[in-house]
Amino acid sequence: MLKEGRTALSFQETISPTSPLIQAHVYAIRKIEGATNQPSHRERMSIDKWKPYLHEVLNRFPANFSSEFRNPCWYEGTELQCVPYFYQLGSFKCGTTDVWDNWYYDLQGPIITNRFNRHVRKTRRKTGQGNDHSIQWYLNLFRIQAVEQVKKNPRLVFGDASISNLWGLGIYDWEELFTNETDPPVFLADVIHAIQPKAKIIAILRDPVEKLWTTYMLEQWKKMVSPQTFHAHFKRLTKESLQCESINSPLYCAFMYGTTADISLNNMLYQGVFYLYLQQWVDVFGLENIHVMRLEDWIKDPITELEEAFKYLELDPLPHDVLSSIVNRSTKNVNERAKRKNFTMLASTRRELQDFYRPWNQRLADLLKNQKFTWDY
C-alpha cells in the first residue's frame, strides 16, 4: 500500500528527451547533493518500535547460544537447533556461486556447504513450500542439512549464502505499519543483529558496470541482444530511476524497485548501487565486523582471498596445498552463453554507466575506508 501522495509508477511514461549522459550526470549529482545535506548515517528506528511486529520471530531464539559448539546452536529439550554462523551477501553475477563453492573442501573441513544453503529462497520453491516464510521452516532446513554434522563435530560451522540477504527487509509491509515513514525503517541486518549480534558477515562485490552488462546478457540470452540493445536497456533503466527519485529517495527506490520480484518493476541499475544496501549492514554490525571482498581480487589471487576470509571467520587455517586444490577447481556459474556471443559493450555505454555509478562507488569506498571500491573510474 502506498502512502497518501505517493503514486504507483508507470515506467512506460516518457521523460523529457535529454541525452543519457546528461541524465546520468544530473541523476548522480542530485543524489550526492541530497545525501550531503543529510546525516552520514540515517538514524535507525529503535528496536522497541519494531520488535512487537516480529515478536514471534525474535522470541524463537535464546539470549545465549550453547558454548558446546562453534556454530550458534541451542537445545530445545533434546533437539538441537542451529542458525548460520555467517551470512554471505552479494548480488547477481558478483561471483557468489564460485566463492561459495570454494568454502567447502572435504567432509572434515570447517564449513558445511550444500546447494540448499546457497539459495534458501529457491529451495523453498523446490520443496513445495512456496508460501511458508516461517522461522520454523528456516530452522528445519538447516536441521536437515547441517545440524547432524554439527552434532558429530562441534567445530563445524555453516552459512546462509542467499544473495537476497544483501537487500533484505526486516518488515516487508512497513508502509502499512509505519505510515509516517518515507523509507524502509527495518532491514534484514537489524533482525539478524537482534538475534545474532556476533554473526559473521561476508560481502562479495563487483564493478557494477560489468555486473549490469553480464546480468543483462544472462537474462536476455534467448533474445536478439547486442551492444545496441544493451545501451537502449540502460537508457530505459535510467529514465525509470529518474522517475522514481522524482517522488522518492534513492534508498526507497533501491529497496522497493531495485530488488522486487516483479520483473515489470525491477530496476537492475540499482543493484549495483552497493552503498545503499551495504550501509545498512555496516551501520548495525560495524565496519570492523564485516569482511568485504571484490570479485576482481578473487579472480586475481583466490588463495589470498580465501586465507583472509578464513581468518575473518576465525576458522583454522588451511594448508597451502589444500588451498591450491580448492581454487584450481573450475569456476562456477560462468555465463558461457554470453561469452559465446563475443559481444563488447559500446564505449559510449561504458562511459555513461561509469558516470552513473562513480559517485556511488566513491561513497562506498568512503564507507569501507578502501579506495579499491571506486574501481578506478
Side-chain angles (χ1 to χ4, degrees), residues 98-99 102-105 111 291 293 298 301-313 318 322-324 326-327:
D98 190 48
V99 173
N102 282 279
W103 288 130
Y104 172 84
Y105 68 96
I111 299 178
H291 182 69
M293 305 165 61
W298 172 262
D301 189 359
I303 289 181
T304 297
E305 292 299 309
L306 204 55
E307 286 177 330
E308 291 181 355
F310 268 64
K311 182 179 179 180
Y312 162 74
L313 290 172
L318 303 180
V322 174
L323 286 171
S324 297
I326 293 173
V327 300

Side-chain angles (χ1 to χ4, degrees), residues 3 6 61 77 160 166 173 177 193 237 284:
K3 299 183 182 63
R6 174 176 282 158
F61 300 93
D160 178 345
L166 178 64
D173 55 348
L177 300 175
H193 186 266
L237 294 181
V284 173

Side-chain angles (χ1 to χ4, degrees), residues 165-365:
N165 288 338
L166 178 64
W167 54 74
L169 292 175
I171 298 177
Y172 279 85
D173 55 348
W174 64 273
E175 290 183 288
E176 298 178 15
L177 300 175
F178 304 103
T179 56
N180 292 327
E181 297 292 330
T182 57
D183 289 324
V186 186
F187 302 90
L188 180 61
D190 296 292
V191 179
I192 291 179
H193 186 266
I195 297 169
Q196 295 174 255
K198 296 182 180 180
K200 298 289 187 179
I201 309 297
I202 293 183
I204 304 154
L205 310 180
R206 180 188 188 181
D207 177 351
V209 174
E210 293 298 330
K211 169 190 152 30
L212 185 65
W213 167 252
T214 55
T215 301
Y216 174 79
M217 296 302 291
L218 174 65
E219 292 190 344
Q220 305 293 328
W221 72 276
K222 289 184 178 180
K223 301 178 181 179
M224 295 296 293
V225 297
S226 67
Q228 289 74 24
T229 61
F230 175 70
H231 188 85
H233 178 68
F234 162 59
K235 289 172 62 177
R236 179 180 64 82
L237 294 181
T238 303
K239 289 182 179 180
E240 292 173 2
S241 62
L242 284 168
Q243 185 173 2
C244 181
E245 291 193 33
S246 68
I247 55 176
N248 302 293
S249 72
L251 184 68
Y252 180 95
C253 296
F255 276 91
M256 303 305 289
Y257 291 109
T259 60
T260 175
D262 187 340
I263 300 300
S264 66
L265 294 177
N266 200 331
N267 189 325
M268 295 294 290
L269 198 64
Y270 280 114
Q271 289 190 14
V273 185
F274 300 123
Y275 168 79
L276 290 174
Y277 303 113
L278 199 57
Q279 184 187 30
Q280 313 314 318
W281 293 88
V282 172
D283 281 356
V284 173
F285 282 91
L287 180 59
E288 67 280 6
N289 297 315
I290 298 177
H291 182 69
V292 186
M293 305 165 61
R294 297 193 320 162
L295 176 61
E296 294 83 359
D297 298 327
W298 172 262
I299 293 173
K300 182 179 179 180
D301 189 359
I303 289 181
T304 297
E305 292 299 309
L306 204 55
E307 286 177 330
E308 291 181 355
F310 268 64
K311 182 179 179 180
Y312 162 74
L313 290 172
E314 299 182 89
L315 300 176
D316 300 333
L318 303 180
H320 194 273
D321 60 330
V322 174
L323 286 171
S324 297
S325 66
I326 293 173
V327 300
N328 285 333
R329 296 178 178 186
S330 59
T331 303
K332 299 296 182 181
N333 204 24
V334 175
N335 190 355
E336 295 291 348
R337 293 178 298 227
K339 287 177 65 176
R340 285 198 295 269
K341 290 182 179 294
N342 197 29
F343 287 146
T344 301
M345 191 189 313
L346 295 175
S348 59
T349 309
R350 183 177 298 278
R351 285 194 302 270
E352 292 175 26
L353 276 170
Q354 289 179 344
D355 287 336
F356 175 89
Y357 283 118
R358 184 179 294 111
W360 286 117
N361 289 351
Q362 185 59 60
R363 293 186 72 81
L364 176 67

Side-chain angles (χ1 to χ4, degrees), residues 16-36:
S16 57
T18 58
S19 75
L21 180 59
I22 294 176
Q23 288 182 351
H25 274 302
V26 172
Y27 178 86
I29 292 171
R30 178 164 52 82
K31 286 188 296 189
I32 292 302
E33 288 177 343
T36 303

